Amino acid sequence: LYGYRLAASLLILLATAFLGLSLRHLDVSTRFLDLYPSNDPNVKLFKEYPQFGTPLTVTLLIKVRRGTIYNYPTLEKIKEATKMFAFIPGVDNSGIVSIASTKVKHVEPTPFGFTSKYLMVGAVPRTPKQMAKFRRELRDTPGVIGTLVANKENAAIVRATFIGRLVNYKKIFNGVERIVKKLSEKNHEVYAVGEPILTGWIYRYQPTVYKIFVVGFVLMIALLALYFRNLEGMVIPCVGGILSGIWGFGFAAVLGINLDPLVIVVPSLLIARALSDSVQMCERYFELYNESHDNRRACGDSL
C-alpha cells in the first residue's frame, strides 16, 4: 500500500467526510424497551398491545414526616401536585390519578339509591369536622387505601402518564423537578420515580459525560507527548482514535442504530483499543526506522 498512499489517503478522507456528515442523524437516546428481554412473553405481549399500558408514567410520593395526611397543608400539596402535572408538556390529562383528581369518586347509598361525588375536588377540608368526614369517605372508597394512600395513611401518591408521540424527557424531568422543589419542606418528603425521570437524569448528566471525554482526550495527548517526545507519535494515534470514533458512530447513524448513553463505555473501549494499536504501531515504526533509516521499509515492516 506504500505506493498507493495518496489514493488510500483520499479514499479514507472521502469515507470519513461521508460518515462525519452522517453524524448529524445519529440518535443519542435511551430506549428502555430495547433493554428488556425480547423473547420474554410479557415483553412480546406489551409490544403487541402497547395501548393497554405505558412505561411513560411518573409517580410522585408525598410523605408526611410526622403524623398522617389528614391535615390541610398535606392535602393542599396533593391537590397542588395534581394541578401542576396538568401543565407539563405531553401529559395525558385523563391519566392523572390521585385522591384530588376526578378519577376517584366516593359512592354511598341513600334511601333513594346511590350518590356519587368526587373524593377531593374543590375546597380542601379545613375544620376538624370536615377532616373527619373526609377521612371516613376516603377509607370507605374501595381501591384508595394501599394504592393511592399508604396503609399507614402517612403518604399519598400522584400518578401521571404521558403521550408517547409528545414526550420530551427534558421538559418532563424539569416539570416534575419544579413540583418536587415547590412541595418539599421540613415536614414533607417528596419523591418522583418512573421511566421518564430515569431518562431525565441521564440527559441531565449527558453534558458532564462529554466534558469528561474532552478532559480524557486532552490528558491522552499530554501522555503521548511525554512518551514519544515527537509530533508524529503524538498526532498519529490521536488521528487514529478520532477516525475510529467518526467511522463507528457514522456507521451507527447510517444503519439507524441509536447511541445509548448507558452503554457509551462500549464504543469508548473500542476507541481506546484503536488508540492502543496505533501507539504500538508507531513505537514499532520508530524502532525500525532508527535501525534502517529507511522510511518505506520501516512502514512496511511495522504493519
Side-chain angles (χ1 to χ4, degrees):
L1 292 177
Y2 189 88
Y4 304 96
R5 56 188 183 276
L6 180 59
S9 300
L10 289 175
L11 184 62
I12 292 172
L13 286 175
L14 289 174
T16 304
F18 170 73
L19 295 172
L21 292 174
S22 301
L23 291 176
R24 297 176 299 172
H25 308 293
L26 180 63
D27 179 19
V28 183
S29 62
T30 299
R31 301 174 185 174
F32 284 94
L33 193 60
D34 294 341
L35 303 178
Y36 300 151
S38 58
N39 294 324
D40 187 271
N42 296 315
V43 176
K44 290 181 179 179
L45 183 64
F46 171 74
K47 289 181 178 180
E48 187 175 357
Y49 303 101
Q51 66 271 25
F52 292 102
T54 173
L56 302 175
T57 302
V58 173
T59 302
L60 192 78
L61 173 70
I62 302 174
K63 183 179 179 182
V64 183
R65 295 181 187 271
R66 294 180 299 275
T68 65
I69 65 169
Y70 302 115
N71 59 83
Y72 178 78
T74 302
L75 295 180
E76 181 63 27
K77 288 181 183 293
I78 297 172
K79 183 177 180 180
E80 182 70 13
T82 305
K83 288 182 177 179
M84 292 181 70
F85 263 113
F87 294 98
I88 298 178
V91 72
D92 182 1
N93 287 293
S94 64
I96 302 175
V97 182
S98 75
I99 59 173
S101 70
T102 57
K103 305 286 286 186
V104 180
K105 295 182 179 180
H106 171 69
V107 180
E108 61 181 18
T110 68
F112 305 99
F114 293 89
T115 61
S116 173
K117 70 171 186 176
Y118 298 124
L119 186 61
M120 198 180 76
V121 175
V124 176
R126 282 180 176 269
T127 66
K129 184 178 179 181
Q130 292 175 339
M131 196 64 68
K133 180 183 177 183
F134 171 76
R135 180 169 57 245
R136 177 181 60 80
E137 292 177 348
L138 186 146
R139 290 173 176 174
D140 291 342
T141 303
V144 174
I145 298 295
T147 304
L148 298 178
V149 176
N151 291 323
K152 294 182 179 180
E153 300 181 335
N154 64 339
I157 66 169
V158 181
R159 183 181 293 115
T161 58
F162 293 84
I163 302 171
R165 59 186 174 83
L166 301 177
V167 164
N168 185 311
Y169 287 109
K170 292 182 180 179
K171 291 182 178 179
I172 294 174
F173 182 82
N174 293 334
V176 174
E177 191 176 39
R178 282 194 295 270
I179 299 175
V180 173
K181 288 182 177 179
K182 182 176 182 179
L183 302 184
S184 299
E185 39 90 4
K186 61 180 181 179
N187 194 41
H188 292 87
E189 299 176 80
V190 183
Y191 304 100
V193 296
E195 188 261 2
I197 301 301
L198 177 59
T199 308
W201 279 115
I202 294 171
Y203 289 155
R204 167 67 64 87
Y205 287 105
Q206 190 171 321
T208 304
V209 173
Y210 294 151
K211 292 177 183 177
I212 292 173
F213 276 109
V214 171
V215 172
F217 189 73
V218 172
L219 291 175
M220 181 196 67
I221 294 175
L223 291 173
L224 288 173
L226 289 173
Y227 182 73
F228 286 109
R229 299 184 183 277
N230 59 53
L231 186 62
E232 294 84 355
M234 182 177 65
V235 172
I236 293 174
C238 293
V239 171
I242 293 173
L243 287 180
S244 64
I246 293 175
W247 282 39
F249 295 138
F251 272 118
V254 171
L255 297 176
I257 301 173
N258 69 301
L259 176 62
D260 192 337
L262 293 175
V263 295
I264 193 68
V265 65
V266 176
S268 301
L269 289 174
L270 295 176
I271 294 173
R273 184 55 188 256
L275 283 168
S276 174
D277 293 342
S278 298
V279 170
Q280 294 180 34
M281 290 180 64
C282 286
E283 189 173 16
R284 181 57 177 163
Y285 165 79
F286 291 136
E287 290 177 355
L288 294 172
Y289 183 78
N290 289 332
E291 292 177 0
S292 63
H293 297 285
D294 186 336
N295 186 53
R296 181 167 187 167
R297 181 180 177 184
C299 287
D301 291 346
S302 60
L303 295 177

